[in-house]
Amino acid sequence: MPGPPASLCGTVVSAARMMKAVKVRTTKQVYNSFLKKHFLQDQFHLVSDPNSSLRQGDSVRIAQCLPVSRHIRHVVVEILAPWGPAVEERPPVLGELERFKVRQEKRERKLERRRRKAEGIADVSQGEEEVSEAEAQVVAA
């Protein structure tokens, strides 16, 4: 039986360029058998940051999680050493239970939408209303 996911320590390389995601650089040792020497090799991970609490230069601990999107498979566990504003001044990093709760709420909303669609109840969202108003203005002109 596999144990808990391994955590990695790394540095935030790119933040505030993607919504709810940051790029983290971690380093590992690789052995070259020809030269009989160890070398450091960088790995880059896209990490989920739903509250946008990380800044470029922060040292963080990340762990594997269920896939959030196509490329995001890690989540922030804690901020080890902040760069810039103090950790208390930033939005909090979500804990494991909070992440699970958000995932469950999202899943329940999805199942509710599917149930309403199967029953034939129209689900009108704000985006559809704005599009229909814009179409009405184009048709009127």
Side-chain angles (χ1 to χ4, degrees), residues 3-138:
S7 62
L8 302 169
C9 294
T11 304
V12 177
V13 177
S14 174
R17 293 186 182 184
M18 297 171 278
M19 293 175 56
K20 300 181 180 183
V22 294
K23 184 188 273 189
V24 175
R25 179 182 63 222
T26 60
T27 305
K28 70 174 188 175
Q29 271 192 345
V30 178
Y31 182 72
N32 186 326
S33 60
F34 180 75
L35 297 176
K36 297 186 179 14
K37 184 175 178 181
H38 291 278
F39 291 97
L40 294 178
Q41 183 177 10
D42 290 337
Q43 287 184 323
F44 294 91
H45 303 281
L46 288 180
V47 179
S48 176
D49 179 27
N51 291 342
S52 299
S53 56
L54 299 179
R55 306 289 183 264
Q56 187 171 347
D58 289 347
S59 292
V60 295
R61 183 180 314 276
I62 62 174
Q64 290 182 347
C65 67
L66 292 172
V68 177
S69 69
R70 182 176 172 193
H71 297 287
I72 300 175
R73 304 225 178 326
H74 291 81
V75 68
V76 177
V77 175
E78 65 176 325
I79 301 175
L80 299 174
W83 183 264
V87 176
E88 294 79 22
E89 298 172 8
R90 301 180 188 185
V93 175
L94 296 180
E96 186 175 355
L97 294 176
E98 294 166 333
R99 287 192 307 267
F100 180 74
K101 184 178 176 183
V102 168
R103 188 176 181 95
Q104 286 298 104
E105 289 172 357
K106 186 176 177 182
R107 178 72 178 158
E108 288 171 6
R109 287 194 307 266
K110 180 179 181 178
L111 293 175
E112 178 65 21
R113 284 193 310 270
R114 286 186 174 181
R115 186 186 61 79
R116 298 183 105 219
K117 184 177 179 182
E119 292 175 357
I121 300 172
D123 186 25
V124 180
S125 63
Q126 292 177 353
E128 293 174 358
E129 291 174 358
E130 292 174 3
V131 171
S132 60
E133 290 175 8
E135 289 175 355
Q137 290 176 356
V138 172

